[in-house]
Amino acid sequence: DVFVLRQCTQDFDLKKVRSAIQTIGCTVMIAEPWHDPFAASRTFCVFELYVTVEAHVDFETVTPKAEVDEMIASMAAGSSPFPSLQVRVEDASARCVDDKKHIDTFIEQGPGFALTNDIITSALQKSLLIQAHQSDIDGSIAPVSLGNAFLSLGPAEALRVAAVKGAHGQNIIHRWTRASGAGDWLQRMC
């Protein structure tokens, strides 16, 4: 939005924002820190993410290398990859109170906070999982972490993410099914 919207002018219009996102066709968010991205605490950013997902626009996270390394280390240790990543639009903040009210009203009258939170949290989890997979040169992400991440995404989204090629050209399914115990997660997902 930095290049499309004037940042110091009060000409905020949800329809224009939605149109700009759809026209551009891709939204990129800096996810720092990876486990609780600052952008997910900002009302306007969360609205942009909701519009991105709802309009089926491509979405990617970009995370600083040190953060990605930390995420991979956490997943290599077998921990649940996204234990604290939970978007709460209703708790997000905005520089302008009227803009916050405007977006909150849009959400309340439309999809509601619970659905919006779930949609955005899932999109962030998917994008971060893909980024970790593509950055994991050593193949150190523990299969249990991949399985837990898949379970949290649900079958359809897990399959979309699993098909993405990683650091060595293998998709997650190749890595995961070679590991012992992968069948247990497949059975629980179905």
Side-chain angles (χ1 to χ4, degrees):
D1 67 6
V2 171
F3 300 109
V4 177
L5 302 172
R6 297 179 293 185
Q7 300 294 308
C8 297
T9 304
Q10 290 297 90
D11 61 352
F12 181 69
D13 182 329
L14 295 180
K15 289 180 184 176
K16 288 181 182 176
V17 172
R18 171 179 266 144
S19 176
I21 289 169
Q22 290 173 323
T23 299
I24 293 168
C26 181
T27 300
V28 178
M29 182 187 99
I30 297 173
E32 185 176 24
W34 70 270
H35 51 81
D36 188 20
F38 175 74
S41 71
R42 303 295 297 165
T43 300
F44 194 76
C45 295
V46 173
F47 169 74
E48 291 175 319
L49 291 177
Y50 171 75
V51 169
T52 296
V53 175
E54 185 258 341
H56 305 287
V57 170
D58 290 340
F59 171 64
E60 293 181 35
T61 51
V62 175
T63 309
K65 183 177 179 348
E67 293 279 326
V68 173
D69 292 345
E70 181 185 321
M71 180 172 43
I72 290 171
S74 172
M75 294 174 77
S79 5
S80 181
F82 310 111
S84 63
L85 182 59
Q86 181 60 47
V87 175
R88 289 190 43 85
V89 181
E90 59 272 33
D91 296 338
S93 60
R95 182 176 25 156
C96 177
V97 175
D98 289 340
D99 289 348
K100 164 105 176 118
K101 288 178 186 174
H102 191 75
I103 291 172
D104 284 355
T105 300
F106 167 82
I107 292 169
E108 287 173 328
Q109 293 176 354
F113 286 122
L115 180 59
T116 302
N117 291 337
D118 289 346
I119 287 169
I120 296 168
T121 298
S122 178
L124 283 170
Q125 289 175 344
K126 286 188 309 189
S127 185
L128 287 166
L129 181 59
I130 288 169
Q131 188 175 10
H133 171 57
Q134 291 176 331
S135 301
D136 185 21
I137 295 168
D138 299 331
S140 58
I141 295 176
V144 69
S145 288
L146 291 175
N148 288 333
F150 284 167
L151 286 174
S152 72
L153 294 176
E157 292 303 318
L159 288 173
R160 282 189 197 100
V161 171
V164 174
K165 293 198 185 284
H168 295 290
Q170 289 186 329
N171 61 35
I172 293 176
I173 292 174
H174 289 121
R175 291 175 60 179
W176 193 45
T177 54
R178 285 195 341 239
S180 62
D184 296 339
W185 273 279
L186 287 171
Q187 288 176 349
R188 288 194 337 214
M189 240 179 11
C190 298

